[in-house]
Amino acid sequence: MNKQDSSDAVFIQLGCMVRDMSVDVRLEAFEALGKIGLVSEDILLQTLSKKVLGINKDKAFKPVEGLDISASAVAGAYIHGLEDEFSVVRMSACYSLRTLTVFSLRFACEALNLMMDMLNDDSTVVRLQALDTIHHMATSNHLKVEKIHIHRFLSALVDSSSVIRSMTRKILKLAKLPQFKLFKLCIDGLLGNLEIYPQDEADVFSALFHIGRNHGKFTVHIIEEVSPEMEPASGGKLSFDSTRVAAFLVLAISAPLSHEKDVSAIPPRIFSYAVTWLGRISYGLSDLMNQEKLLAYLSECSRSSTISLADFKINEALLTVESDAPIPLCSKVDSPVSMPFWKDSGGTSDYHHQEFLSLGKSAAHAEYELGEHSELRKYVNLIFKKVKDFWSLVELGCTTEAFKGIRACKEEVASFTADSPGSSGAVAFTLQYLQVIGMLAKVWGHLRPTKMLNPYGVGKLELLFAKLDRRLREISNRFIGLSKGEELQILDLVLVACLLRLSKMEICCCNAAMKLLLSTVAHVEYLHKEGSIELSNFVTEVKKSLHDADSSSSSSTCKPLLFKRLLDSFSLQQFVLYGTPRYIHAELAVPSNDSENPLPFIPGIPASIPLAITLHNVLTESRLWVRISMSEESTQFVFLDLNLIRNEKRSINVVREFTFVAPFYRTPKAISFTVRASLGLECFRENIDRVKVFGGPKCELTYLCPEKEIFLCKSTEC
Amino acid sequence: MAIDCLVLGAGQEVGKSCMVVSINGKRIMFDCGMHMGYTDSRRYPDFSLISKNGDFDNALTCVIVTHFHLDHIGALPYFTEVCGYKGPIYMTYPTKALAPLMLEDYRKNMDRRGEDEQFTSDHIAECMKKVIPVDLKQTVQVDKDLQIRAYYAGHVIGAAMFYAKVGDAAMVYTGDYNMTPDRHLGAAQIDRLQLDLLITESTYATTIRDSRYGREREFLKAVHNCVAAGGKVLIPTFALGRAQELCILLEDYWERMNLKVPIYFSAGLTIQANMYYKMLINWTSQKIKETYATHNAFDFKNVRNFDRSLINAPGPCVLFATPGMIVGGFSLEVFMQWAPSENNLVTLPGYCVAGTIGHKLMSGKPTKIDLDKDTQINVRCQIHQLSFSPHTDAKGIMDLVKFLSPKHAILVHGEKPKMATLKERIQSELGIQCYCPANNETVTIPSTHYVKADASGTFIRSCLNPNFKFSTCSSTDKSYLDSNKSKAVSRLSVSDDRATEGILVVEKGKKAKVIHQDEFLHMLGEKKHEIQFAYCFPMHMARTEDLSSTSHMLCSFDKCTLISRLSMILSDELSEGNILDLGEELQVESFHVSVCSSDNCPHRLSSSLQNGSESVFFCCHWSVADEKLAWKIISIMKNSTL
């Protein structure tokens, strides 16, 4: 007896129990029926027919000697269950059907007939459960609505119970109707619903929007039919007081977002009509987009008849918001970072994102920002895709070619900056990323065994590493608003850099690199735990071997071969940008200071240097240092306490402008000299190994602006 | 003991249900109905078969009525008041409450038709006084031996199935029942019982009905379409039962669809019946019971009283009118007015008695109906046939029979050919002996009688002894059959089939006792007798010098050699039995053989005496049990030579 047979036999045995005289037994029986996973279709169909089906006439199972289970025993089990006297049993029967409909389309169709009948049940809970089962069928793609059903189904839209109505609309949102006639009936049903129960307006709008989106052609067709109704009345006055018109408008504006191809356009003026209803419509569509987005969309659509661009943008935005959408969210679902960032709840990135949204509102052009960003994001992600391809070149040893490509990308990205001020973060980030990859490619090409000979000497390599480190530090510290997944990908790169360094004995500062490696891994683990994001193969591999190395010998951690091997397991994953990262940067200026107009100083006495600082996106809690250096030996750090700085222009921490007077203590005994000043952000993760200097920063600094040369001249007044 | 079932009515037909069951000396009459199709003596059951001299009080222990339909209760006033039965009558509370209404209504209709009156209002009232009401699942001790109990049957309000038990014999009479609930009544409900006999109705012996939701949908659609088009809907029904169900259905639909079309009840019986229904909430379905506290389902909000002036009032309406099947009365009056318009709708009950207008409308689509010689009705209205029925379908009957698993079943209240089909099914599928007797026939079935017996100590000990049997069985694992690799597994299996053998002794005046067979002789004070067969016959000998020619002089040594040689022969030839060589004697089971030295052996047949010099006589004896073996051995010996 195979597994299928035995589960069939169990199913039949349970099916016999549904005619028991005790309510509790019947209840349990149906519950149990719903739990059996593997039932053959014939048996399932038999439960919906009181007459014994031909195929089941002689079907019998003999699981044990003497026990004869005949398939006919299960005849009409669900018919009986659904007309049971007790509503709990009927409900249980409805519920258990829910799970069984997943297995067979034929069974689902038959069961749908019964479910539609159940909509006439006298108990509200049973009706609701029946609708829930239908909804479940719809989500598992086993819902085939036919004409005979639709009347019964739509009558639930005028049910006196509001839960029933809302559940019905929920199903309608998912429905895919084969004929225009059915579509029209559904729309009429919804309009009837709206007429009788005006309180359902928001949800009806939402349902109309969904159903319209699912049936682009039908929508266009119906709008053509009713467009006279929607036009302004003769006196030039818009008859927009009718809810019916509003409903049609909602339907109309859904058409461009249809999943169907070649939907002929809705007249653009319709969209401008819809703007007059913005408040009510956006209330209804609040689960899809906010008012700003809707307005942006409407104005975009009303501007021109060719709306392919807007189509793309909003569609993308919608897809990330709506879980019921029938199209997969993104092409690469398996990659950890492909997780849309809105999904990892509670993460800081989310917080940043929201913050960003609220920030954006202040600007006049902000309405468009999100839309623009999503467009930009698309391009940026295309570039990331290219980068991935380039990396495979690097791995093959064609570093120069790859480098060329990356440079071209950089140029392309740089061209974005000009027109869209709001998206500077994403652009900066992309540039930074390209630079990191470029550096990494250079180092990789040098260190990894390729057919080429080592082109650089050790010294050059050291320089390259230093550059790479700086770039990496910048990319991981100068952007906020990255999701955990994105952050993890960057950490991957950090790890690679560490490993590269460790794998080269000659330049290896083993302790520091190892320390960094360990701390990075720890951070990766932390993020992994927080965000429940899957780690890449590479990271898992690194973690594992580190653990092994740890347990085997604690003393010697320098094992170039091990690290080389680890590097083999690295493959660059395509970076996908979901959010809009904010770029932390600063401008530093000394007003009216140049070689002609130097600042005065008295040798031996600290000089004051007034710095005009503009900070972008710097969080209040971050630690900023002003680094002033005269030469390599005399460098001093001045802590910039952001809490003490009064915000002169705005209360929010996006852009701050202020003047800070920095003291320069060790003025030399000279007539004039120059110092270089720059602003650094302390990176908490990277401890400085070197000896601390006068209460300077404890961690490595990432510099937020280019160094500024400041000229000082011995004061002549004293 | 036996159970005798005398079918007085509803045998292979529908109508005048009446069954007299004699069970362990008690005689119960189940139902006392009348046949609506007849007006002559066939209308009532033939009560004379119960008692020739009309002494019903002694002939019957009690009368049980299952529900208030006339084919189950119609003859009751006649039986009690005219025939003079004065014994107890049992029925449920609602039946007792509603039966007078039904009977009175029927009597009035009879009056109107000018038939001779069978009973009067006083008769009905007097009859009802004799009724003892019972509640569901209440066990009533009718007398010392007879218990009865009512179970919920659905069908109509107050309908019950009755369980009767006398001594060890038990039976259930279902009356009419419904295994699926409807809008106002629940499904039949009964305990698992040990039954000798189940008497069940079989109205739908072969029909299997679909879900009731489909029927409701059709009905609502027809009514809604009609009133939406401005038509009038006439629903002729019985006052009780169907009217309430349809009304609940319409009320619910009106409420949900927000319809304002008036629903009317023809005054009189229906209104009165609704009142009773409101009081009898406890007998309705779960749903109505649950919501009763907030809203009584029989408090129809949209329903109004009808009066004659409204018949031709403009606008749509829905009217419930009695009687069903449009046999006359108000429903006929309205029908005559409404039938000529094609806007109107008439619904017909699922079953109409032949000869009624309802039946005429059902059969074909007549355009004209002759009411009598002078009156003719043009029929242009739409006809919708209701397929609601308060009877269970074939599957329901099978389910109930299967659930109760009685030893015997009797089908009544159905059509003969269909009943025969169902009977076959019950016998073949469930293995239950089934009958469908005609009217005035008697079915006798054996009844159960339990005897309590003591068991002796030896018997009990013998029961406890294990009875192991070892056998090697080779079983083929079926799961390997598909893969062409049938794998035979041979294993030793141990079975312990304890067959207990004992003897049931029933002595006069003493309790029955089960004893072990060893005790039996002792108990009777007798000795054990054993029958033995004996036979003496010659066996051929090979000539040998060692043997002296005089056979009678054989010494004991020679005897032993002969026996051992015989033993060798037997062990070669004989496949069974355990051959024991006891020196001068050979034993196989109870078969003993020895060389006979006496010439005058009493077991020797004279004819076998021939050529004595070449043979030697063997004398053998055996007990009855081994007769076959004995003759086998003898034949071997006769055919072989020593």
Side-chain angles (χ1 to χ4, degrees), chain B residues 315-445:
Chain B
C317 68
V318 178
L319 170 66
F320 286 87
T322 51
M325 307 184 203
I326 328 184
V327 281
F330 194 65
S331 60
L332 179 62
E333 197 180 326
V334 177
F335 177 73
M336 281 158 66
Q337 300 281 337
W338 288 3
S341 164
E342 57 258 329
N343 270 343
N344 296 342
L345 173 76
V346 174
T347 66
L348 293 174
Y351 177 77
C352 284
V353 175
T356 59
I357 291 183
H359 190 261
K360 283 178 198 162
L361 288 172
M362 262 165 65
S363 43
K365 206 161 176 350
T367 48
K368 284 190 169 69
I369 283 180
D370 297 315
L371 195 58
D372 50 45
K373 270 176 241 149
D374 319 312
T375 332
Q376 199 179 45
I377 312 171
N378 282 321
V379 181
R380 282 202 216 92
C381 63
Q382 310 153 45
I383 310 278
H384 178 83
Q385 195 179 348
L386 297 176
S387 41
F388 292 83
S389 173
H391 292 278
T392 186
D393 64 355
K395 187 160 187 302
I397 299 172
M398 289 298 283
D399 284 340
L400 185 78
V401 176
K402 195 175 170 190
F403 180 77
L404 290 174
S405 296
K407 295 196 181 77
H408 303 268
I410 292 178
L411 303 179
V412 292
H413 200 282
E415 291 160 46
K416 191 178 172 183
K418 293 180 180 171
M419 286 164 88
T421 316
L422 182 64
K423 178 186 147 179
E424 281 308 309
R425 268 190 77 193
I426 291 176
Q427 290 189 343
S428 64
E429 283 179 31
L430 304 175
I432 291 167
Q433 192 63 45
C434 187
Y435 314 86
C436 34
N439 277 347
N440 302 340
E441 276 182 12
T442 303
V443 175
T444 304
I445 61 152

Side-chain angles (χ1 to χ4, degrees), chain B residues 144-448:
Chain B
K144 196 164 68 53
D145 301 316
L146 174 63
Q147 288 185 346
I148 59 168
R149 198 183 305 148
Y151 286 99
Y152 193 76
H155 190 61
V156 286
I157 200 156
M161 305 194 264
F162 275 91
Y163 166 75
K165 183 178 183 216
V166 183
D168 299 318
M171 61 161 297
V172 162
Y173 177 83
T174 64
D176 294 352
Y177 64 100
N178 194 358
M179 293 291 279
T180 51
D182 62 25
R183 285 269 166 173
H184 75 306
L185 294 174
Q189 206 267 326
I190 195 164
D191 297 331
R192 247 179 236 279
L193 300 161
Q194 283 254 328
L195 297 180
D196 293 300
L197 174 65
L198 171 72
I199 302 172
T200 171
E201 66 131 322
S202 52
T203 319
Y204 292 110
T206 53
T207 320
I208 289 180
R209 282 182 302 156
D210 289 334
S211 152
R212 77 181 152 93
Y213 292 99
R215 306 195 286 274
E216 290 179 357
R217 193 177 65 232
E218 292 303 312
F219 170 72
L220 291 174
K221 205 170 126 193
V223 171
H224 194 167
N225 286 346
C226 178
V227 294
K232 293 175 160 65
V233 183
L234 171 64
I235 307 177
T237 55
F238 293 113
L240 295 164
R242 187 49 31 74
Q244 280 74 23
E245 187 191 350
L246 293 180
C247 205
I248 287 183
L249 184 59
L250 283 180
E251 177 90 4
D252 189 47
Y253 189 72
W254 252 233
E255 202 90 321
R256 253 189 303 145
M257 290 293 143
N258 232 347
L259 294 177
K260 295 282 177 270
V261 177
I263 302 174
Y264 296 111
F265 264 18
S266 70
L269 192 52
T270 324
I271 304 289
Q272 207 175 347
N274 277 351
M275 229 172 60
Y276 277 104
Y277 266 85
K278 268 187 243 176
M279 291 188 290
L280 298 169
I281 285 293
N282 205 27
W283 292 74
T284 56
S285 75
Q286 191 61 27
K287 156 86 182 169
I288 292 176
K289 276 188 253 179
E290 273 166 9
T291 54
Y292 158 66
T294 50
H295 167 66
N296 192 323
F298 298 103
D299 250 341
F300 300 118
K301 269 187 232 153
N302 297 307
V303 173
R304 289 160 231 182
N305 276 345
F306 195 73
D307 72 74
R308 284 201 164 68
S309 63
L310 289 167
I311 293 181
N312 287 316
C317 68
V318 178
L319 170 66
F320 286 87
T322 51
M325 307 184 203
I326 328 184
V327 281
F330 194 65
S331 60
L332 179 62
E333 197 180 326
V334 177
F335 177 73
M336 281 158 66
Q337 300 281 337
W338 288 3
S341 164
E342 57 258 329
N343 270 343
N344 296 342
L345 173 76
V346 174
T347 66
L348 293 174
Y351 177 77
C352 284
V353 175
T356 59
I357 291 183
H359 190 261
K360 283 178 198 162
L361 288 172
M362 262 165 65
S363 43
K365 206 161 176 350
T367 48
K368 284 190 169 69
I369 283 180
D370 297 315
L371 195 58
D372 50 45
K373 270 176 241 149
D374 319 312
T375 332
Q376 199 179 45
I377 312 171
N378 282 321
V379 181
R380 282 202 216 92
C381 63
Q382 310 153 45
I383 310 278
H384 178 83
Q385 195 179 348
L386 297 176
S387 41
F388 292 83
S389 173
H391 292 278
T392 186
D393 64 355
K395 187 160 187 302
I397 299 172
M398 289 298 283
D399 284 340
L400 185 78
V401 176
K402 195 175 170 190
F403 180 77
L404 290 174
S405 296
K407 295 196 181 77
H408 303 268
I410 292 178
L411 303 179
V412 292
H413 200 282
E415 291 160 46
K416 191 178 172 183
K418 293 180 180 171
M419 286 164 88
T421 316
L422 182 64
K423 178 186 147 179
E424 281 308 309
R425 268 190 77 193
I426 291 176
Q427 290 189 343
S428 64
E429 283 179 31
L430 304 175
I432 291 167
Q433 192 63 45
C434 187
Y435 314 86
C436 34
N439 277 347
N440 302 340
E441 276 182 12
T442 303
V443 175
T444 304
I445 61 152
S447 73
T448 313

Side-chain angles (χ1 to χ4, degrees), chain A residues 1-2 16 19-22 49-52 62 65 72-77 79-80 82-87 90 113-114 116-124 126-127 152 155-156 158-160 196-197, chain B residues 152 161 179-181 183 185-192 208-217 220 249 252-253 255-258 284-287 289-290 392-393 395-396 399-400 402-403 478-479 482:
Chain A
M1 191 160 210
N2 59 25
C16 300
R19 287 299 271 160
D20 199 274
M21 290 287 174
S22 156
S49 160
K50 277 173 140 186
K51 295 189 182 75
V52 179
K62 291 191 177 84
E65 206 64 42
S72 60
V74 85
I79 301 275
H80 289 304
L82 293 176
E83 56 182 9
D84 199 276
E85 183 183 350
F86 293 83
S87 57
R90 295 199 298 272
N113 264 326
L114 293 176
M116 290 292 179
D117 278 337
M118 293 311 286
L119 298 179
N120 213 10
D121 197 275
D122 49 16
S123 154
T124 311
V126 177
R127 291 205 297 271
R152 271 180 276 164
S155 70
V158 289
D159 199 287
S160 47
I196 300 172
Y197 303 98
Chain B
Y152 193 76
M161 305 194 264
M179 293 291 279
T180 51
R183 285 269 166 173
L185 294 174
Q189 206 267 326
I190 195 164
D191 297 331
R192 247 179 236 279
I208 289 180
R209 282 182 302 156
D210 289 334
S211 152
R212 77 181 152 93
Y213 292 99
R215 306 195 286 274
E216 290 179 357
R217 193 177 65 232
L220 291 174
L249 184 59
D252 189 47
Y253 189 72
E255 202 90 321
R256 253 189 303 145
M257 290 293 143
N258 232 347
T284 56
S285 75
Q286 191 61 27
K287 156 86 182 169
K289 276 188 253 179
E290 273 166 9
T392 186
D393 64 355
K395 187 160 187 302
D399 284 340
L400 185 78
K402 195 175 170 190
F403 180 77
K478 277 176 191 157
S479 58
D482 322 326

Side-chain angles (χ1 to χ4, degrees), chain A residues 611-630:
Chain A
L611 297 168
I613 298 172
T614 314
L615 296 179
H616 295 271
N617 302 317
V618 177
L619 299 173
T620 322
E621 60 267 27
S622 43
R623 292 161 64 86
L624 283 182
W625 294 87
V626 181
R627 177 182 184 270
I628 306 172
S629 64
M630 199 165 66

Side-chain angles (χ1 to χ4, degrees), chain A residues 208-474:
Chain A
L208 279 169
F209 192 81
H210 275 100
I211 202 170
R213 223 149 64 85
N214 292 339
H215 306 85
K217 280 180 198 158
F218 293 160
T219 307
V220 172
H221 193 64
I222 211 166
I223 292 302
E224 274 168 17
E225 277 180 19
V226 297
S227 57
E229 252 185 271
M230 294 158 71
E231 290 302 321
S234 53
K237 258 176 81 181
L238 300 173
S239 62
F240 287 150
D241 49 343
S242 140
T243 321
R244 188 179 151 81
V245 172
F248 279 125
L249 284 174
V250 172
L251 194 61
I253 64 169
S254 71
L257 297 178
S258 161
H259 305 308
E260 287 169 25
K261 292 273 180 299
D262 14 280
V263 175
S264 59
I266 299 278
R269 64 178 182 287
I270 301 272
F271 295 94
S272 35
Y273 298 160
V275 176
T276 57
W277 283 82
L278 187 66
R280 277 164 85 172
I281 293 176
S282 81
Y283 183 59
L285 306 183
S286 55
D287 57 330
L288 293 175
M289 47 178 129
N290 57 19
Q291 197 161 336
E292 285 82 29
K293 221 159 80 182
L294 181 64
L295 179 62
Y297 166 63
L298 289 178
S299 35
E300 183 74 27
C301 290
S302 58
R303 222 175 284 151
S304 65
S305 52
T306 52
I307 44 171
S308 59
L309 199 72
D311 179 8
F312 261 119
K313 279 188 293 185
I314 300 275
N315 242 354
E316 220 169 70
L318 285 180
L319 285 178
T320 48
V321 180
E322 188 197 1
S323 56
D324 278 344
I327 301 165
L329 292 174
C330 118
S331 55
K332 248 189 94 188
V333 194
D334 51 346
S335 155
V337 284
S338 311
M339 298 259 301
F341 86 109
W342 52 269
K343 265 195 179 170
D344 68 45
S345 49
T348 49
S349 55
D350 237 328
Y351 162 70
H352 287 312
H353 184 61
Q354 281 162 9
E355 191 183 49
F356 174 67
L357 277 183
S358 62
L359 291 176
K361 272 184 186 172
S362 53
H365 59 264
E367 273 87 342
Y368 297 101
E369 206 162 47
L370 217 132
E372 298 276 354
H373 278 191
S374 59
E375 186 192 356
L376 180 75
R377 209 154 40 216
K378 215 182 93 199
Y379 289 132
V380 162
N381 283 334
L382 272 175
I383 291 203
F384 287 135
K385 199 172 170 224
K386 272 191 211 162
V387 170
K388 187 183 180 253
D389 296 340
F390 292 143
W391 186 258
S392 50
L393 283 178
V394 171
E395 279 174 347
L396 289 171
C398 312
T399 319
T400 17
E401 289 84 348
F403 207 70
K404 241 184 197 166
I406 290 171
R407 198 176 300 143
C409 283
K410 266 192 230 168
E411 280 161 17
E412 206 177 332
V413 172
S415 69
F416 291 156
T417 18
D419 55 324
S420 49
S423 56
S424 58
V427 174
F429 179 82
T430 316
L431 275 176
Q432 194 75 47
Y433 184 81
L434 287 170
Q435 268 162 353
V436 168
I437 294 294
M439 290 310 297
L440 211 53
K442 266 189 196 166
V443 176
W444 186 282
H446 179 70
L447 286 182
R448 300 299 295 157
T450 55
K451 55 186 182 215
M452 283 202 338
L453 288 169
N454 288 353
Y456 309 125
V458 173
K460 184 92 191 266
L461 201 60
E462 282 262 37
L463 271 177
L464 279 178
F465 265 116
K467 259 188 176 172
L468 178 61
D469 282 351
R470 210 180 71 223
R471 295 287 181 212
L472 279 171
R473 210 174 295 137
E474 277 176 6

